[in-house]
PDB file of all heavy atoms in Angstrom:
ATOM      1  N   SER D   6      22.499-122.554 -50.114  1.00 93.00           N
ATOM      2  CA  SER D   6      21.255-121.847 -49.779  1.00 93.00           C
ATOM      3  C   SER D   6      21.105-121.801 -48.267  1.00 93.00           C
ATOM      4  O   SER D   6      21.351-122.793 -47.568  1.00 93.00           O
ATOM      5  CB  SER D   6      20.064-122.551 -50.407  1.00 93.00           C
ATOM      6  OG  SER D   6      20.027-123.890 -49.976  1.00 93.00           O
ATOM      7  N   GLY D  57      13.652-129.011 -53.720  1.00 91.00           N
ATOM      8  CA  GLY D  57      15.060-128.977 -53.321  1.00 91.00           C
ATOM      9  C   GLY D  57      15.238-129.070 -51.816  1.00 91.00           C
ATOM     10  O   GLY D  57      14.377-129.601 -51.096  1.00 91.00           O
ATOM     11  N   SER D  58      16.355-128.584 -51.369  1.00 94.00           N
ATOM     12  CA  SER D  58      16.629-128.601 -49.934  1.00 94.00           C
ATOM     13  C   SER D  58      17.500-127.397 -49.595  1.00 94.00           C
ATOM     14  O   SER D  58      18.003-126.722 -50.502  1.00 94.00           O
ATOM     15  CB  SER D  58      17.336-129.898 -49.541  1.00 94.00           C
ATOM     16  OG  SER D  58      18.531-130.028 -50.273  1.00 94.00           O
ATOM     17  N   VAL D  62      20.651-123.558 -42.041  1.00 98.00           N
ATOM     18  CA  VAL D  62      19.537-122.888 -41.370  1.00 98.00           C
ATOM     19  C   VAL D  62      20.133-121.986 -40.293  1.00 98.00           C
ATOM     20  O   VAL D  62      20.939-122.440 -39.476  1.00 98.00           O
ATOM     21  CB  VAL D  62      18.576-123.897 -40.712  1.00 98.00           C
ATOM     22  CG1 VAL D  62      17.496-123.165 -39.915  1.00 98.00           C
ATOM     23  CG2 VAL D  62      17.941-124.796 -41.753  1.00 98.00           C
ATOM     24  N   SER D  74      11.859-106.041 -19.450  1.00 94.00           N
ATOM     25  CA  SER D  74      12.321-106.385 -18.112  1.00 94.00           C
ATOM     26  C   SER D  74      11.193-106.211 -17.097  1.00 94.00           C
ATOM     27  O   SER D  74      10.577-105.146 -17.029  1.00 94.00           O
ATOM     28  CB  SER D  74      13.508-105.478 -17.748  1.00 94.00           C
ATOM     29  OG  SER D  74      13.957-105.789 -16.455  1.00 94.00           O
ATOM     30  N   ILE D  77       9.262-111.432 -12.046  1.00 97.00           N
ATOM     31  CA  ILE D  77       8.323-112.502 -12.425  1.00 97.00           C
ATOM     32  C   ILE D  77       7.008-112.419 -11.653  1.00 97.00           C
ATOM     33  O   ILE D  77       5.978-112.828 -12.164  1.00 97.00           O
ATOM     34  CB  ILE D  77       8.918-113.924 -12.278  1.00 97.00           C
ATOM     35  CG1 ILE D  77       9.264-114.254 -10.840  1.00 97.00           C
ATOM     36  CG2 ILE D  77      10.041-114.157 -13.216  1.00 97.00           C
ATOM     37  CD1 ILE D  77       9.334-115.745 -10.604  1.00 97.00           C
ATOM     38  N   TRP D  85       3.815-114.390 -19.074  1.00 97.00           N
ATOM     39  CA  TRP D  85       4.844-115.421 -18.909  1.00 97.00           C
ATOM     40  C   TRP D  85       4.913-116.288 -20.156  1.00 97.00           C
ATOM     41  O   TRP D  85       5.978-116.572 -20.690  1.00 97.00           O
ATOM     42  CB  TRP D  85       4.566-116.286 -17.679  1.00 97.00           C
ATOM     43  CG  TRP D  85       5.385-117.545 -17.682  1.00 97.00           C
ATOM     44  CD1 TRP D  85       4.996-118.786 -18.121  1.00 97.00           C
ATOM     45  CD2 TRP D  85       6.767-117.679 -17.300  1.00 97.00           C
ATOM     46  NE1 TRP D  85       6.035-119.673 -18.032  1.00 97.00           N
ATOM     47  CE2 TRP D  85       7.131-119.026 -17.532  1.00 97.00           C
ATOM     48  CE3 TRP D  85       7.717-116.793 -16.784  1.00 97.00           C
ATOM     49  CZ2 TRP D  85       8.415-119.501 -17.254  1.00 97.00           C
ATOM     50  CZ3 TRP D  85       9.002-117.280 -16.518  1.00 97.00           C
ATOM     51  CH2 TRP D  85       9.339-118.619 -16.749  1.00 97.00           C
ATOM     52  N   LEU D 128      14.764-110.533 -16.269  1.00 96.00           N
ATOM     53  CA  LEU D 128      14.625-111.238 -17.546  1.00 96.00           C
ATOM     54  C   LEU D 128      14.545-112.755 -17.327  1.00 96.00           C
ATOM     55  O   LEU D 128      15.114-113.538 -18.088  1.00 96.00           O
ATOM     56  CB  LEU D 128      15.803-110.898 -18.467  1.00 96.00           C
ATOM     57  CG  LEU D 128      15.870-109.451 -18.968  1.00 96.00           C
ATOM     58  CD1 LEU D 128      17.121-109.226 -19.814  1.00 96.00           C
ATOM     59  CD2 LEU D 128      14.629-109.093 -19.793  1.00 96.00           C
ATOM     60  N   ARG D 148      20.531-136.088 -32.341  1.00 98.00           N
ATOM     61  CA  ARG D 148      19.592-136.841 -33.173  1.00 98.00           C
ATOM     62  C   ARG D 148      19.979-136.797 -34.656  1.00 98.00           C
ATOM     63  O   ARG D 148      19.783-137.771 -35.374  1.00 98.00           O
ATOM     64  CB  ARG D 148      18.172-136.275 -33.030  1.00 98.00           C
ATOM     65  CG  ARG D 148      17.569-136.460 -31.665  1.00 98.00           C
ATOM     66  CD  ARG D 148      16.182-135.852 -31.597  1.00 98.00           C
ATOM     67  NE  ARG D 148      15.188-136.608 -32.339  1.00 98.00           N
ATOM     68  CZ  ARG D 148      14.565-137.686 -31.867  1.00 98.00           C
ATOM     69  NH1 ARG D 148      14.853-138.147 -30.675  1.00 98.00           N
ATOM     70  NH2 ARG D 148      13.648-138.294 -32.595  1.00 98.00           N
ATOM     71  N   LEU D 163      22.904-109.238 -25.501  1.00 92.00           N
ATOM     72  CA  LEU D 163      21.477-109.018 -25.718  1.00 92.00           C
ATOM     73  C   LEU D 163      21.194-107.828 -26.629  1.00 92.00           C
ATOM     74  O   LEU D 163      20.364-107.908 -27.534  1.00 92.00           O
ATOM     75  CB  LEU D 163      20.758-108.841 -24.369  1.00 92.00           C
ATOM     76  CG  LEU D 163      19.252-108.593 -24.453  1.00 92.00           C
ATOM     77  CD1 LEU D 163      18.542-109.720 -25.190  1.00 92.00           C
ATOM     78  CD2 LEU D 163      18.663-108.427 -23.063  1.00 92.00           C
ATOM     79  N   ILE D 199      28.644-113.275 -38.524  1.00 97.00           N
ATOM     80  CA  ILE D 199      28.780-113.745 -39.914  1.00 97.00           C
ATOM     81  C   ILE D 199      30.062-114.575 -40.057  1.00 97.00           C
ATOM     82  O   ILE D 199      30.070-115.636 -40.684  1.00 97.00           O
ATOM     83  CB  ILE D 199      28.804-112.549 -40.909  1.00 97.00           C
ATOM     84  CG1 ILE D 199      27.447-111.822 -40.904  1.00 97.00           C
ATOM     85  CG2 ILE D 199      29.187-113.011 -42.318  1.00 97.00           C
ATOM     86  CD1 ILE D 199      26.334-112.501 -41.646  1.00 97.00           C
TER      87      ILE D 199
END
Side-chain angles (χ1 to χ4, degrees):
Chain D
S6 57
S58 58
V62 175
S74 179
I77 63 158
W85 165 264
L128 293 177
R148 293 179 72 82
L163 180 58
I199 294 283

